Amino acid sequence: MIFRNEWQFVILGRLALVLTLLSATDIATHAETLDGSRIFVLDGDTVALPCSVPARGCAEKIRLRAIDAPETLNAHCEAELKAGLAAKQRLAELLRAGPVSAQRSGEIDRYGRSLGDLETSAGDAGAVLVRERLALPYQPGSGAKASRIAHWCR
């Protein structure tokens, strides 16, 4: 293709970029239905999705985007550890109850996890955990982290 003006080249380049970004967003935000019994629960707000072809390190980690569950690995107190284990157990129960729809938001957190939601037969897994007081609604920032620690370690 011969460009008669520089602006034609710029417009075509921008159009190609927009189309590429739109197709990447469609892939990143698609919903996928999975056998809940094959999803590995890492903690109350993070899971690892199964690989279509099992291989070392292939599982995709999904962080439930709307909630903040108590820590289990780096708990700040015994009460937080117990609450974290209860949240992990309940999330596993929700996922094991049947098919799960995993919806990715298209965002990746600072740990490389996809942010998303898991829809179960009981509804949105994160919303269930918040409703049952096993998790808090997600709030960003260091002040929110301090508040979360105070909540679980009172």
Side-chain angles (χ1 to χ4, degrees), residues 3 5-19:
F3 298 102
N5 297 321
E6 184 178 322
W7 66 269
Q8 288 175 320
F9 180 75
V10 170
I11 289 174
L12 187 59
R14 288 184 179 170
L15 179 61
L17 176 62
V18 167
L19 291 174

Side-chain angles (χ1 to χ4, degrees), residues 36-110:
S37 66
R38 295 192 59 228
I39 298 173
F40 185 77
V41 178
L42 299 170
D43 63 24
D45 55 25
T46 307
V47 300
L49 301 183
C51 306
S52 54
V53 178
R56 183 172 173 79
C58 71
E60 176 188 11
K61 291 181 182 175
I62 300 283
R63 167 71 161 77
L64 299 181
R65 67 181 169 152
I67 70 166
D68 196 0
E71 299 297 327
T72 55
L73 183 60
N74 296 314
H76 296 87
C77 64
E78 187 68 23
E80 183 179 22
L81 175 60
K82 287 180 181 179
L85 292 172
K88 180 179 178 177
Q89 177 62 36
R90 181 63 174 131
L91 180 56
E93 291 169 1
L94 291 168
L95 300 179
R96 305 279 181 286
V100 174
S101 176
Q103 175 72 43
R104 295 161 188 83
S105 70
E107 300 172 87
I108 304 293
D109 74 3
R110 64 182 175 171

Side-chain angles (χ1 to χ4, degrees), residues 109-141:
D109 74 3
R110 64 182 175 171
Y111 301 109
R113 302 174 296 190
S114 297
L115 299 180
D117 302 304
L118 299 175
E119 188 72 26
T120 70
S121 61
D124 178 79
V128 171
L129 293 174
V130 170
R131 187 172 55 247
E132 295 178 1
R133 299 182 180 203
L134 295 169
L136 299 172
Y138 178 76
Q139 297 291 321

